[in-house]
Amino acid sequence: MRPRTRAARPPPELMDDIVEEILLRIPPADPASLVRAAASCKQWWRLVSGPGFRRRWFRGIHRAPLMLGAIRSILYNGRTNVSFVPAFPFLQPRAGRRGWRALDSRDGRVLLHREPRCLREKNVLAIWNPVTDEQRELPALPGFSGICAAVLCDASAAGDNLACSSGPFLVAFIGSGHEGTCIRVYSSESDAWGEPASAWYPGYLNKKVRGVCVGNAVYFALRAITRILEYDLGTGGVTVIDPPPMSSDLVALMTAEGGGLGCATEKGCRLQMWSREVGSDGLMGWWQRKAFRLRTMKPVGCDILKLHVVGFEDGGGIIYVGTDQGSFTTDLKSGRYLRKVEGVGGSEDILPYMTCYDPDGNPSAHTSGLDLGAK
C-alpha cells in the first residue's frame, strides 16, 4: 500500500490572494458579514484593513454608494448628541457633538443643525464628514419654530456618484414660524444663501421624514394630514402633493427606480414602494412598483418605530427599519440581506450614512466634498 502523501500547502502569499478573492464576493448590502469575517482571525483582519483590499472592494467592484455606518442623534441631559456608528473595522467611531442634531445625510455629507435655545437665537447649520471628522458651518439663518433641510448634489455632478461626493453641493432649507414660512437654498460655491422665498402649505413640517431631491426639485413631508411638499429649485414654486394610499403615518421619501419621485408606505402587513409617474390619461399619479412583507424586514412581533429608504435610479438601495428590538437594514432591490445594525437602538433618531468611499483618494474630497479652505 502506497503511503498517503499530504498535499503541499500553498505559500502564504497565495493563501492571502485566495482569501481576499472570497471576501471580495461579500455584497455591499451585507457589511456586517464582512466585519464578522474580518474578526474571525488576525490574518483576515489584516487583509480587510489593508489599503489593497479597500481599493478593490470599494472602487473595483462596489462603485455604487455604500452604507458605511449610521448617524445617531440621541437626547442626553436635555440636549441632543450626534455620533457616528461605523459599519467597518477600519473606520473610527466619532465622539458625540453635543447640541447638534442630524437633519440629513447624503453623498458622504451629514447636515447638522445646532438647536437654538429660544426663538430669538439664530439657526446654525453645518456639513460634517464623519470619516475625516471635518465640519464646516454655514452662514446663520433667523430663528424658526420648525425647520426641515436637505443636503443635495449640485446639478453639475448629478448622476455621477463619485462627483456628487467630491463636488459642489446645495442645502435646501424650509423654516416656519409666527411670521410665516421661508425657503432658502445655500450654494457651497458662493458660500451664501439665496434670496428667501415664501410659501403657504397645509399642516406642519414632519421633521422625522428625510427630504429627498429628485431632478430639479426637493421634497419634504408634512404631518397632521400627511402631504408631500415639492419645492422647484429652478422656479421657486411650491406644490403640495397627496401621498399614495397608506394605513398609517409611516412614510419615507426616496428616489424611485428610473429616477423619479418615490415613496414607501406601510399598508397592512406590507411595505409598499411607489413611483410617481404620468399615467395613460396624461396625469401624474402614484403607481405601486413592488411590495415587501414586513415580516421579512424585522423579527416576528416587532413594532416598526423608524423607517428610512435610500433608493437609486437603478433600483438599488437600502431599507432601514428601527424596531422595539433593534435596528435592521434590508437590500431594496431584492428585499433580502436582513441584517441587524449593531450598537443602534430602534427608537433612536438614525440616518444611514452612505457614500462612494475612495480609500486611496483625498478623504476630504472623496468622502464629503468639504473644501474648508475655499471659503
Side-chain angles (χ1 to χ4, degrees), residues 21 84 103 144 172 180 200 210 229 279:
E21 289 298 326
F84 173 54
L103 298 180
F144 293 94
W200 178 90
R210 177 176 178 262
L229 185 144

Side-chain angles (χ1 to χ4, degrees), residues 67-73 82-85 101-106 109-112 149 151 207-211 306-310 318 320 341 344 348-354:
M67 184 173 173
L68 297 186
I71 307 298
R72 179 169 66 176
S73 299
V82 173
S83 60
F84 173 54
V85 183
R101 181 171 65 93
L103 298 180
D104 192 22
S105 176
R106 201 183 319 271
R109 305 178 182 97
V110 180
L111 179 61
L112 303 180
V151 58
K207 297 187 291 184
K208 296 182 179 180
V209 179
R210 177 176 178 262
K306 305 283 183 179
L307 173 67
H308 294 293
V309 181
V310 182
I318 67 161
Y320 168 86
V341 182
V344 176
E348 297 173 359
D349 194 1
I350 295 295
L351 289 173
Y353 178 71
M354 303 186 71

Side-chain angles (χ1 to χ4, degrees), residues 6 11 19 36 45 66 72 80 85 114 135 150 172 182 186 195 202 229 236 255 266 268 278 294 308-309 311 352:
R6 181 177 297 178
V19 172
R36 286 194 293 269
W45 184 276
L66 179 69
R72 179 169 66 176
T80 305
V85 183
R114 188 166 66 200
Q135 182 169 317
C182 175
Y186 168 87
E195 291 298 318
L229 185 144
T255 300
E266 180 189 22
V278 178
L294 290 175
H308 294 293
V309 181

Side-chain angles (χ1 to χ4, degrees), residues 18-51:
I18 294 173
V19 172
E20 183 172 310
E21 289 298 326
I22 294 173
L23 295 177
L24 283 170
R25 298 308 189 265
I26 296 177
D30 190 14
S33 291
L34 182 64
V35 175
R36 286 194 293 269
S40 63
C41 68
K42 292 182 178 180
Q43 177 196 6
W44 289 19
W45 184 276
R46 175 177 54 81
L47 285 174
V48 170
S49 301

Side-chain angles (χ1 to χ4, degrees), residues 277-324:
E277 304 173 12
V278 178
S280 57
D281 56 1
L283 301 177
M284 293 292 293
W286 292 101
W287 300 85
Q288 185 180 326
R289 291 307 176 193
K290 61 178 70 173
F292 301 106
R293 292 186 179 275
L294 290 175
R295 67 184 183 186
T296 66
M297 300 183 177
K298 60 183 181 68
V300 177
C302 285
D303 292 327
I304 296 180
L305 306 175
K306 305 283 183 179
L307 173 67
H308 294 293
V309 181
V310 182
F312 305 110
E313 292 188 21
D314 63 357
I318 67 161
I319 302 171
Y320 168 86
V321 175
T323 76
D324 53 2

Side-chain angles (χ1 to χ4, degrees), residues 14-197:
L14 180 58
M15 283 297 298
D16 284 353
D17 291 342
I18 294 173
V19 172
E20 183 172 310
E21 289 298 326
I22 294 173
L23 295 177
L24 283 170
R25 298 308 189 265
I26 296 177
D30 190 14
S33 291
L34 182 64
V35 175
R36 286 194 293 269
S40 63
C41 68
K42 292 182 178 180
Q43 177 196 6
W44 289 19
W45 184 276
R46 175 177 54 81
L47 285 174
V48 170
S49 301
F53 180 88
R54 284 181 285 166
R55 179 176 60 252
R56 292 188 64 191
W57 201 71
F58 283 106
R59 300 180 70 188
I61 296 179
H62 305 304
R63 290 186 64 90
L66 179 69
M67 184 173 173
L68 297 186
I71 307 298
R72 179 169 66 176
S73 299
I74 58 175
L75 191 64
Y76 181 74
N77 286 343
R79 302 201 70 185
T80 305
N81 267 17
V82 173
S83 60
F84 173 54
V85 183
F88 296 95
F90 47 80
L91 296 176
Q92 296 295 320
R94 297 301 179 187
R97 278 167 156 70
R98 185 167 172 77
W100 294 87
R101 181 171 65 93
L103 298 180
D104 192 22
S105 176
R106 201 183 319 271
D107 301 318
R109 305 178 182 97
V110 180
L111 179 61
L112 303 180
H113 174 228
R114 188 166 66 200
E115 296 180 320
R117 296 179 180 271
C118 64
L119 290 178
R120 295 181 180 179
E121 188 176 340
K122 290 189 174 182
N123 283 284
V124 177
L125 303 181
I127 297 294
W128 177 42
N129 174 5
V131 175
T132 63
D133 209 22
E134 295 176 285
Q135 182 169 317
R136 170 177 171 173
E137 287 193 10
L138 310 186
L141 289 167
F144 293 94
S145 58
I147 73 164
C148 281
V151 58
L152 318 169
C153 178
D154 187 86
S156 61
D160 186 333
N161 292 324
L162 283 176
C164 276
S165 297
S166 61
F169 62 91
L170 305 174
V171 174
F173 171 92
I174 178 170
S176 60
H178 296 297
E179 298 180 359
T181 300
C182 175
I183 301 177
R184 302 186 73 171
V185 178
Y186 168 87
S187 170
S188 64
E189 292 188 303
S190 63
D191 188 35
W193 293 95
E195 291 298 318

